Amino acid sequence: MRTEEIKNTMLEELNHVTDLKTLNDLRVKYLGKKGLITELNSEIKNVPNEEKKAFGLKVNEVRTLFQSSYDEIKLKLEEEELNQKLASEAIDISLPSTKVNMGAPNILEKLIEEVEEVCMSMGYDVVDGPEIEEDKYNFEMLNIPKGHPARDAQDTFYLEGEEILLRSQTSPVQVRTMLKGKGEVPVRVICPGKTYRRDDDDATHSHQFMQIEGLLVDKDISLSDLKGTIDVIVKKLFGEDVETRFRPSYYQFTEPSVEVDISCFNCKGKGCNICKHTGWITIAGAGVVHPNVLRMSGYDPEVWSGFAFGFGAERMAMLKYDINDLRVFYNTDLREVKNFDRRELKNND
Ligand code: DAH
């Protein structure tokens, strides 16, 4: 009788279950260690012998009934739960998307990478140097002793007394590279990097700008090696039909020194705004490394010789991408940055 009672309440209760937690509670209530059905099993010893079999069958029936109803309800509840979850997480793909404002790689950086690539293809290493530099490397070991008038032209930012400064050129990396090379040849490096001078910022000047320094030291290096190397770089950057010309110049760390001009890639020499109607554009200073510089850095000028060059990176990028205000390289205005892509595409046409 008691078994029948348990069966009825059990069915009644299972009928009203609406969540998995209650369902599990019922499983414990009926089939747990001290569950009602489990306890029925232990009552069998009190049942008279002739009824034992019928009793056992009955209890088993209730247990099976519970188990099958339980499984069925569980499946149903789990499915409901999943459906609810899917419904609440549904994505409305008809909603308009939010526009992400995209920038573009900075073309000054791209130009530097291009120079790096062509130089690496000729066996050059790309090296780094400190922006906070010692006077010794920025000037003295480049053959510009204290009190030399050439120092005035560079309007240097001094940080501590007269010895520590923000480098006014990337040329000190030449010295550092040779000192590190300890007389080993060949030396073949380029160093793109930031430089600083006390300038008022405007469309063509900046207190901080980028140079790309180059240095090669080996045996029997002459001005014509320099010319050939510059030619390769320039043609890669501005086109195969662009020519280079050297004009005599003066730098303390090179002898002879030159200014590097390229034929105007825009008007092909006819004269335009870009070349100021001369047909030529200056893009670098360069020369044959001065014997004093080699000697001070541990290379015997009687045995070794070298050339060096220093490109103005902004100037080259401005020319290549038709930019007339160098401040655009350094601002983060997305309207301008976006233009970088457009300028590049135009350039590649
Ligand atoms: N350092 C020079 C400047 O800032 C540029 C330069 C000229 C670099 C001649 C060189 C060089 O390596 O050989 O004006």
Side-chain angles (χ1 to χ4, degrees):
M1 216 39 239
R2 184 158 142 71
T3 316
E4 198 57 25
E5 224 172 80
I6 291 179
K7 177 182 156 191
N8 290 338
T9 5
M10 169 192 102
L11 287 176
E12 178 70 16
E13 283 182 327
L14 281 171
N15 236 345
H16 288 102
V17 174
T18 52
D19 63 282
L20 287 162
K21 159 104 181 52
T22 320
L23 182 66
N24 193 48
D25 289 347
L26 287 182
R27 192 184 54 78
V28 175
K29 178 174 173 189
Y30 289 95
L31 293 186
K33 246 191 196 155
K34 291 190 176 151
L36 293 172
I37 300 176
T38 320
E39 274 177 353
L40 278 179
N41 261 340
S42 51
E43 275 173 28
I44 200 158
K45 57 181 182 293
N46 308 324
V47 177
N49 269 349
E50 62 278 16
E51 287 173 28
K52 270 198 170 61
K53 187 176 174 201
F55 181 80
L57 283 173
K58 186 77 191 158
V59 174
N60 239 355
E61 184 205 316
V62 179
R63 175 195 303 281
T64 321
L65 184 62
F66 181 89
Q67 193 62 54
S68 58
S69 321
Y70 171 89
D71 288 346
E72 200 180 302
I73 298 171
K74 186 164 181 242
L75 210 68
K76 198 182 96 204
L77 289 177
E78 279 175 349
E79 202 178 297
E80 271 173 24
E81 198 173 81
L82 181 69
N83 283 340
Q84 260 173 26
K85 198 165 174 223
L86 287 176
S88 70
E89 288 174 2
I91 296 169
D92 183 354
I93 54 167
S94 66
L95 278 177
S97 62
T98 16
K99 218 169 161 209
V100 180
N101 239 344
M102 300 277 279
N106 193 309
I107 43 182
L108 178 59
E109 199 59 38
K110 275 195 163 170
L111 178 123
I112 290 172
E113 277 170 17
E114 261 183 83
V115 177
E116 285 177 1
E117 230 164 77
V118 58
C119 289
M120 284 193 293
S121 75
M122 293 189 282
Y124 284 71
D125 285 333
V126 179
V127 297
D128 239 348
E131 289 169 32
I132 295 173
E133 187 53 287
E134 294 177 43
D135 180 277
K136 179 170 74 172
Y137 298 125
N138 195 76
F139 289 127
E140 266 172 67
M141 293 182 75
L142 286 166
N143 209 25
I144 316 174
K146 290 228 162 67
H148 194 289
R151 287 179 174 228
D152 300 342
Q154 301 219 349
D155 269 329
T156 310
F157 283 108
Y158 281 92
L159 298 180
E160 274 172 36
E162 301 243 294
E163 296 309 324
I164 308 291
L165 45 80
L166 290 179
R167 69 178 175 197
S168 59
Q169 47 186 351
T170 43
S171 303
V173 181
Q174 291 186 31
V175 176
R176 286 180 171 274
T177 304
M178 283 190 278
L179 289 175
K180 223 167 150 190
K182 298 199 168 66
E184 293 269 315
V185 287
V187 174
R188 261 183 314 208
V189 292
I190 62 158
C191 169
K194 293 193 186 112
T195 49
Y196 302 83
R197 289 186 199 176
R198 296 188 327 155
D199 237 335
D200 291 330
D201 295 355
D202 62 25
T204 51
H205 298 86
S206 170
H207 64 284
Q208 179 241 289
F209 54 102
M210 308 276 296
Q211 289 188 334
I212 308 173
E213 192 78 18
L215 171 72
L216 182 139
V217 181
D218 208 337
K219 216 171 173 70
D220 298 329
I221 298 301
S222 71
L223 208 58
S224 60
D225 297 307
L226 172 66
K227 182 87 162 41
T229 305
I230 298 268
D231 244 9
V232 172
I233 301 173
V234 159
K235 283 189 161 51
K236 179 80 207 313
L237 254 70
F238 294 101
E240 281 303 314
D241 52 349
V242 170
E243 291 182 27
T244 40
R245 100 179 162 183
F246 282 178
R247 271 183 302 117
S249 184
Y250 176 71
Y251 294 101
Q252 301 71 39
F253 35 92
T254 40
E255 179 56 40
S257 305
V258 296
E259 296 295 310
V260 178
D261 292 349
I262 57 171
S263 60
C264 183
F265 50 87
N266 186 46
C267 64
K268 312 275 180 244
K270 281 196 218 92
C272 68
N273 276 341
I274 293 186
C275 60
K276 302 213 174 77
H277 301 281
T278 63
W280 293 92
I281 305 162
T282 306
I283 56 160
V288 171
V289 182
H290 197 289
N292 287 350
V293 175
L294 286 175
R295 194 177 301 110
M296 280 188 270
S297 295
Y299 283 78
D300 182 352
E302 300 295 325
V303 183
W304 309 115
S305 51
F307 65 68
F309 55 82
F311 286 109
E314 283 86 355
R315 182 158 171 73
M316 286 208 284
M318 286 169 84
L319 290 170
K320 180 163 176 171
Y321 296 110
D322 193 19
I323 289 170
N324 52 22
D325 189 332
L326 72 71
R327 288 169 293 197
V328 306
F329 296 128
Y330 296 110
N331 80 36
T332 48
D333 186 338
L334 270 181
R335 285 167 302 183
E336 198 50 67
V337 177
K338 255 189 213 153
N339 272 339
F340 287 163
D341 258 358
R342 194 169 50 75
R343 286 183 199 277
E344 216 209 340
L345 286 178
K346 200 172 128 208
N347 203 276
N348 289 341
D349 275 350

